[in-house]
Amino acid sequence: MGVDYQYVIEGFITAIQPANILWVIIGGFLGTVVGMLPGLGPATAVAVLIPVTFGMEPTSALILMAAIYYGAMYGGSRSSILLNTPGDGSAIAAAFDGYPMTKKGQAGQALTISAIASLIGGLFAIIGFIILAKPLAAFALKFGPAEYFLLFLFTLSAIVSLSIGNMVKGFISMSIGLILSTVGVDLQSGVHRFTFNIPQLSEGIDFLIVIIGIYAVGEVFYNYMSLDRIKKEKKKVGTKWITKEQWKQSKWPIIRNGPIGFLIGVLPGAGGSIASMLSYTTEKQLSKHPEKFGKGAIEGLAAPESSNNAASVGAFIPLLTMGVPGSGTTAVILGAVVMLGLKPGPLLFENNPEMVWTLVDSMFIGNIFLVILNILLVGLLVRILDTPPKILYPLILVLAFIGTYTLSYSVIDFYILVIFGVIGLMMKLLNFPVAPLILAIIVGSDMEQSFRKSLVAHDSFVNVLVASPVTIALVILTILSICYPFFIGWLRRRKQSRA
Amino acid sequence: MRKFFGIMLLLLVMVIAGCSSDEKAGGEASFPSDNIEIIAPATPGGGWDATARSMQKVFSDNGIIEENMNVVNKPGGGGEVGWQYLKKQDAHHIAINSSLVITNNILGQSELTHKDFTPLAILTTEWNAVTVAPDSKFETGAEIMEQLKKDPTSLKIAVAPSLGNDDHLSFVQAAQEFGVDVTKLQFMIYESGGDVLTAMLGGHVDVATSSVSEFKEQHLAGKVKMVAVTSEKPIKGLEDIPTWKEQGVDMVFPHWRGVMGPPDMTEEEIAYWDDKIGKLVETDAWKEILKNNEWESYYMDSTETKKFLEEQTKKYEELLNVSGLTE
Amino acid sequence: MLRLITPIIFIIFGGIYLILTFNMTRAKIGDPNAPLYFPALIGIFLVIISIVYFVQEWKQRKETVEEVKQLFKGRTPFLIIASLVLIFIYSFLFERIGFLYSTILFLTGLLFVVNGRKQWIKNILIAVIFSFVAWYSFAELLDVSLP
């Protein structure tokens, strides 16, 4: 499993050709902009650019599309941090602590640390790619339905365990999310479930609509309550330079979560949303002061940002080594490069190694460019906060609707969006955690399908749990994550009784 | 407050008035008199979308159609949403279709049939393949079927993305010809062809049925073994893989894609599309696209297409019935 | 007592979901009940956990929910209802009169409601410019098909 460093270097030389650098910059910039808009994620951005790539050389097209992809990872968190409206699944975790930081007047610093964390996460993943691409691809294949089912289960339990002291509400929120994920045609049997004869529902409820509804629309409704009370005070946005203290706090979380995100990105079907959520929970559980999480802890922002960007690089491994798209975006990229006459598959690495390495090296350049771009943009972006809320909120609402429409070009989604806006508002008022619901919608349907397939493959539920070392490890992790809050509670009580 | 609603109402009336007069402006002039719209009843990234965008590209790059052309994505319900939309449009709108326009109705998932539209052409086809792991004991499709005949539940068969599609039915038809009890077959349904591939490579299923293109690269690399294809003659570049015909089953199963227009198109409009699509399939650019996508030309004009769709309806009715999906 | 409404809603919701689940069309191939298992599990789980929630809330039923009360203070109910009405009008008009006109109308309406009538010139200007920029960047630059 040696690495051909010669090709890595040759690829680098191709990647720094002016034309290719230009594509990286264009792609990164476009991705950042599109990523900021609610609903428009990297998949849509790449898809609309397919006609543009028609006449391009395959390598340049691949570079451009990859740059859009990780550019959107940078951009997606901008709106999470500033407006509490994630543009995409993988940017949700950035809202948990990023938005509280903005409220505390640290918007500039939040944007900067998120860009830096993304850069470091991305660089980790690129190095990981160069060294580990092939063995990792082989490992990812071993993930069968049983492994996926338990991975999803573990992620869910980790998210629920975040709501310490509020577990019941966390579980309710998760159940609602899972219920919503069962709407649509059941893949295994073709049975229409809970679709009420509406054809648009047959493919299920798009989780992006739920995210936009709960975060963007719900947030606007929630802010209506304080609309008239806000005096014309000049909001503090603070400096964009992070302090030494902040860097010390976020250094290790960034370094730890790059590899986590990378590994999860490699698994086909997992992706950025799960990577960033898992990183967030990991950091909270490792932290010495978990109570600060959700209230603007800088490490709570840095960890998922490092992770989701690493995941987007990792997602290219199954695509380039086996021709298997690991995420929605890489699936669109695959479709596009096939149109150009390129065949990603096991032969690509053998026949066109220089192309693969050019792409990987271009990611290196792209990430450095993006961090500069994003830090330069900080000053401009924080201006958004200067917009009077009475004007800003209507604009966010309109953007939410446009974003929703572009998801599946149907007005029915508008009604779904509003319903989730109201649900989001109520959840906020009643102090229900939102994250379990969102994550359950994202993974719910895959989780059920893997569950059912694993039952067919392993005959009984117990066999599913012990199918492989990976499943056993995941079962243990799941149990630990559920017991963890109780353990913490017990520790605290003991401390109190001693004192 | 009242004043505000007054203004709103006024604006509303103005806009609606403005719009409706716009629409009347078109009309009697010779066809086409407006922008052309190609409907892809799916999200960007799949075969329908690729077909629509390729058509748009070749039509305008080669100067076959001068009018402005847009691709509109209307995903949902396995084409249902896009086709419902087409039904209400005029002849400037055409939509991509495939066998789903027939099977959705037979499966009771849609009111629409191909008779609700004007068939314009069949454009391309792909062929289906049966694939196993490289170290599998099966060397031909016939051997798989013999095993299934003894025990239909003994093999896990991967298919995507739904039951009742061509990947599934082509396997069912072959199995049926061998006398397998097809209602007992163990299908595992994956979300996409990519997922089927992953499952096959990881050894989580025994057999996969898919389109040839999805597994071709892997086959050439020796990562999987293709053991049967549904084409009439062996496929270029994959001559060593026997067709079902060569394995003693009289069966050819195309996975075709075509275009159709809204109902009640005039003779003139149909002739227009026959002419333009006839030119489209002759261009080098189109042939290049087919080659890159591993599609094969399967061109039929509007008259042939109509007849073809009738035959296909009969075939699918029977197949869905034996597979156990309909009574 | 207000506190008990939420858990009761969840219990009812879970119940309806379970009823729908058991009345679902059965699978025609394989195990006919296979599509039911997962929804049934979640439904039962939701009902049980909601009952736990009910008991928790019952213990503190005398305390009021401050946050929810805010919803009915000042302009908030008007703002939310007006926004909802505008959203429904917008959804209705969106595909009928096209993106540009409907968005201008919608945004003007929202700004009038939220920002107040006094700044009407500003409102209309923002609405027209924003809608046009949005339309141009989505439909023309990004090639997203808008009606």
Side-chain angles (χ1 to χ4, degrees):
Chain A
M1 278 301 157
V3 181
D4 269 321
Y5 290 99
Q6 193 197 337
Y7 285 123
V8 178
I9 293 160
E10 273 174 31
F12 193 74
I13 293 166
T14 323
I16 55 172
Q17 281 173 3
N20 287 334
I21 289 200
L22 184 72
W23 289 124
V24 168
I25 292 178
I26 293 176
F29 183 75
L30 264 177
T32 309
V33 174
V34 172
M36 280 189 260
L37 301 169
L40 279 189
T44 327
V46 173
V48 298
L49 279 174
I50 289 178
V52 181
T53 62
F54 263 137
M56 284 167 64
E57 214 198 309
T59 315
S60 306
L62 207 51
I63 288 178
L64 173 68
M65 289 186 286
I68 294 173
Y69 187 16
Y70 52 76
M73 288 289 155
Y74 279 84
S77 54
R78 311 284 98 179
S79 45
S80 303
I81 292 170
L82 292 174
L83 306 169
N84 203 18
T85 55
D88 183 23
S90 47
I92 299 171
F96 295 164
D97 273 294
Y99 186 61
M101 280 183 79
T102 299
K103 277 187 167 166
K104 285 193 334 201
Q106 301 174 336
Q109 291 171 327
L111 293 174
T112 306
I113 194 73
S114 123
I116 292 174
S118 295
L119 170 74
I120 298 175
L123 293 185
F124 257 116
I126 292 166
I127 295 166
F129 193 121
I130 294 175
I131 303 171
L132 292 170
K134 283 187 178 175
L136 271 184
F139 171 73
L141 279 183
K142 291 287 166 249
F143 262 65
E147 284 83 359
Y148 274 111
F149 168 65
L150 288 162
L151 174 69
F152 294 140
L153 193 68
F154 166 59
T155 316
L156 276 181
S157 67
I159 280 289
V160 173
S161 73
L162 273 187
S163 24
I164 293 178
N166 210 353
M167 293 273 278
V168 170
K169 285 180 175 174
F171 275 121
I172 291 181
S173 178
M174 179 195 83
S175 315
I176 305 276
L178 288 176
I179 284 178
L180 292 168
S181 78
T182 58
V183 173
V185 174
D186 168 40
L187 270 186
Q188 300 301 318
S189 62
V191 169
H192 284 236
R193 297 191 299 190
F194 318 110
T195 55
F196 309 105
N197 283 329
I198 302 172
Q200 279 88 347
L201 280 183
S202 67
E203 269 149 46
I205 297 172
D206 193 324
F207 72 85
L208 280 171
I209 300 176
V210 180
I211 295 175
I212 301 172
I214 288 187
Y215 281 99
V217 180
E219 180 72 19
V220 169
F221 286 172
Y222 184 75
N223 280 309
Y224 277 171
M225 297 196 307
S226 53
L227 202 55
D228 294 322
R229 270 182 279 136
I230 301 173
K231 291 282 171 312
K232 270 200 176 166
E233 57 174 308
K234 183 84 178 159
K235 254 200 203 160
K236 266 203 345 218
V237 293
T239 163
K240 62 176 155 181
W241 303 115
I242 51 172
T243 63
K244 259 193 186 150
E245 183 59 25
Q246 285 172 321
W247 173 243
K248 244 173 90 185
Q249 280 169 359
S250 36
K251 186 173 62 186
W252 282 108
I254 293 176
I255 293 173
R256 269 195 295 266
N257 288 291
I260 293 183
F262 173 63
L263 288 177
I264 292 180
V266 177
L267 296 176
S273 324
I274 295 184
S276 55
M277 295 267 192
L278 271 184
S279 288
Y280 186 81
T281 57
T282 313
E283 272 324 305
K284 187 169 176 186
Q285 300 191 338
L286 285 177
S287 172
K288 288 195 189 87
H289 44 83
E291 69 283 352
K292 284 193 188 157
F293 274 68
K295 293 182 187 122
I298 193 161
E299 58 269 46
L301 172 63
E305 283 299 280
S306 162
S307 175
N308 73 13
N309 204 37
S312 73
V313 176
F316 276 92
I317 288 188
L319 179 71
L320 293 174
T321 56
M322 300 177 294
V324 176
S327 68
T329 313
T330 44
V332 178
I333 294 178
L334 177 69
V337 293
V338 163
M339 300 263 275
L340 294 170
L342 188 75
K343 308 262 156 56
L347 293 178
L348 186 70
F349 244 106
E350 261 101 83
N351 298 347
N352 305 62
E354 70 288 348
M355 173 181 225
V356 175
W357 293 118
T358 303
L359 173 68
V360 176
D361 293 329
S362 84
M363 291 181 182
F364 194 81
I365 300 168
N367 269 290
I368 291 172
F369 161 73
L370 277 166
V371 81
I372 298 170
L373 174 79
N374 274 282
I375 291 181
L376 287 178
L377 278 175
V378 168
L380 191 69
L381 285 173
V382 289
R383 290 254 186 90
I384 295 175
L385 297 177
D386 288 343
T387 321
K390 288 182 178 181
I391 292 172
L392 185 61
Y393 293 138
L395 294 185
I396 294 180
L397 269 187
V398 170
L399 268 183
F401 280 94
I402 304 174
T404 303
Y405 189 76
T406 60
L407 289 177
S408 62
Y409 311 95
S410 133
V411 177
I412 292 196
D413 290 345
F414 283 9
Y415 300 110
I416 301 179
L417 181 73
V418 177
I419 294 171
F420 281 103
V422 175
I423 292 177
L425 174 69
M426 294 315 291
M427 286 178 77
K428 222 166 234 172
L429 290 175
L430 296 168
N431 198 18
F432 270 85
V434 172
L437 182 138
I438 302 275
L439 192 75
I441 291 184
I442 296 177
V443 306
S445 133
D446 285 343
M447 184 170 149
E448 183 194 353
Q449 299 301 329
S450 342
F451 174 62
R452 304 245 307 269
K453 274 182 286 203
S454 64
L455 279 184
V456 174
H458 301 287
D459 296 323
S460 87
F461 186 65
V462 181
N463 286 347
V464 171
L465 300 182
V466 296
S468 71
V470 178
T471 59
I472 296 170
L474 285 168
V475 169
I476 295 170
L477 281 173
T478 309
I479 295 170
L480 283 181
S481 70
I482 294 179
C483 296
Y484 171 82
F486 296 106
F487 177 68
I488 290 289
W490 175 76
L491 266 189
R492 265 188 210 145
R493 272 195 302 275
R494 224 173 72 145
K495 246 185 209 166
Q496 276 170 357
S497 63
R498 272 193 188 171
Chain B
M1 215 47 238
R2 204 174 285 161
K3 200 167 162 195
F4 154 68
F5 278 117
I7 295 171
M8 287 288 292
L9 205 68
L10 197 70
L11 274 171
L12 197 82
V13 170
M14 272 160 56
V15 170
I16 291 175
C19 275
S20 48
S21 62
D22 264 1
E23 272 166 23
K24 273 176 206 148
E28 296 310 305
S30 75
F31 185 84
S33 54
D34 203 350
N35 292 346
I36 301 286
E37 197 174 274
I38 307 174
I39 300 158
T43 45
W48 280 344
D49 181 66
T51 309
R53 291 187 193 271
S54 309
M55 283 180 80
Q56 176 197 24
K57 162 115 179 127
V58 177
F59 271 144
S60 46
D61 284 8
N62 292 274
I64 300 175
I65 293 181
E66 301 289 337
E67 279 72 21
N68 266 330
M69 233 175 311
N70 290 315
V71 171
V72 186
N73 294 93
K74 293 270 173 198
E80 176 76 5
V81 175
W83 295 327
Q84 286 285 6
Y85 170 78
L86 173 71
K87 209 179 156 190
K88 288 174 266 169
Q89 310 296 321
D90 67 8
H92 292 90
H93 305 254
I94 57 173
I96 310 296
N97 65 11
S98 73
S99 63
L100 288 186
V101 77
I102 296 170
T103 53
N104 282 356
N105 176 270
I106 306 175
L107 288 167
Q109 287 159 7
S110 168
E111 302 282 304
L112 299 170
T113 70
H114 69 95
K115 290 189 186 118
D116 291 300
F117 301 95
T118 315
L120 292 175
I122 302 292
L123 292 170
T124 61
T125 188
E126 292 183 60
W127 302 103
N128 292 105
V130 174
T131 313
V132 294
D135 52 358
S136 161
K137 59 176 177 175
F138 302 113
E139 290 298 331
T140 63
E143 287 171 32
I144 296 176
M145 294 305 174
E146 289 304 331
Q147 157 119 15
L148 287 173
K149 197 174 168 183
K150 276 180 227 142
D151 181 3
T153 59
S154 58
L155 297 173
K156 284 178 291 216
I157 308 154
V159 60
S162 67
L163 289 175
N165 70 359
D166 286 351
D167 295 354
H168 171 224
L169 292 178
S170 64
F171 192 88
V172 167
Q173 191 180 1
Q176 196 209 359
E177 301 277 348
F178 276 91
V180 176
D181 181 358
V182 291
T183 53
K184 292 222 175 80
L185 293 175
Q186 290 245 8
F187 285 103
M188 285 171 97
I189 297 93
Y190 287 83
E191 220 165 293
S192 68
D195 294 339
V196 171
L197 182 57
T198 322
M200 183 92 246
L201 292 174
H204 304 290
V205 292
D206 304 307
V207 182
T209 167
S210 68
S211 35
V212 170
S213 60
E214 283 166 334
F215 277 74
K216 185 177 173 188
E217 288 301 301
Q218 310 287 333
H219 173 80
L220 294 177
K223 304 276 181 191
V224 299
K225 188 164 65 180
M226 231 180 247
V227 291
V229 289
T230 61
S231 55
E232 176 96 49
K233 291 180 213 117
I235 293 169
K236 248 185 228 156
L238 295 168
E239 286 85 357
D240 55 323
I241 300 159
T243 63
W244 279 119
K245 267 198 160 166
E246 287 167 340
Q247 302 187 34
V249 188
D250 185 23
M251 153 185 158
V252 172
F253 203 113
H255 175 52
W256 48 267
R257 291 194 187 94
V259 281
M260 60 188 184
D264 306 321
M265 281 169 69
T266 64
E267 293 282 317
E268 182 207 350
E269 288 159 352
I270 296 175
Y272 169 86
W273 281 113
D274 263 337
D275 173 48
K276 296 297 180 190
I277 296 172
K279 279 184 187 146
L280 169 92
V281 297
E282 290 303 319
T283 58
D284 291 336
W286 181 252
K287 286 173 186 159
E288 177 74 21
I289 288 172
L290 295 194
K291 207 182 104 214
N292 286 345
N293 282 296
E294 307 268 346
W295 296 339
E296 204 170 289
S297 183
Y298 209 58
Y299 176 64
M300 291 179 215
D301 67 15
S302 59
T303 337
E304 292 163 331
T305 302
K306 201 171 172 188
K307 215 177 117 221
F308 177 73
L309 291 177
E310 311 260 300
E311 291 164 12
Q312 290 281 310
T313 309
K314 279 201 201 94
K315 170 181 123 179
Y316 281 110
E317 267 171 1
E318 198 196 309
L319 268 179
L320 287 167
N321 194 1
V322 298
S323 71
L325 282 170
T326 53
E327 271 91 52
Chain C
M1 288 310 258
L2 214 60
R3 281 183 163 263
L4 298 179
I5 295 175
T6 344
I8 289 174
I9 290 177
F10 284 127
I11 294 173
I12 295 173
F13 179 77
I16 295 176
Y17 180 74
L18 277 175
I19 294 170
L20 285 175
T21 302
F22 288 111
N23 285 323
M24 195 157 53
T25 341
R26 298 300 199 263
K28 292 190 178 103
I29 302 184
D31 180 357
N33 288 326
L36 263 67
Y37 296 142
F38 194 76
L41 277 178
I42 315 166
I44 293 166
F45 182 76
L46 176 65
V47 171
I48 293 172
I49 201 90
S50 304
I51 293 172
V52 175
Y53 180 40
F54 183 86
V55 174
Q56 277 187 353
E57 296 292 287
W58 179 260
K59 284 180 192 156
Q60 37 185 317
R61 62 185 176 282
K62 299 261 162 59
E63 294 163 39
T64 53
V65 202
E66 271 312 307
E67 285 270 298
V68 181
K69 276 193 175 165
Q70 288 199 353
L71 198 58
F72 302 100
K73 268 185 194 157
R75 258 182 359 124
T76 314
F78 165 73
L79 284 178
I80 292 180
I81 290 169
S83 302
L84 287 178
V85 169
L86 282 169
I87 288 169
F88 281 110
I89 298 176
Y90 183 51
S91 312
F92 180 75
L93 291 177
F94 194 75
E95 282 187 332
R96 288 181 175 75
I97 65 171
F99 170 80
L100 195 54
Y101 296 117
S102 59
T103 307
I104 292 178
L105 276 179
F106 178 52
L107 193 50
T108 316
L110 268 180
L111 283 169
F112 267 88
V113 171
V114 178
N115 199 21
R117 269 168 292 166
K118 281 178 204 144
Q119 296 180 309
W120 63 276
I121 301 183
K122 201 171 161 192
N123 291 346
I124 292 176
L125 263 182
I126 291 175
V128 172
I129 294 172
F130 184 81
S131 306
F132 191 79
V133 170
W135 172 76
Y136 186 80
S137 47
F138 277 84
E140 300 296 310
L141 298 182
L142 292 176
D143 212 14
V144 172
S145 45
L146 294 170

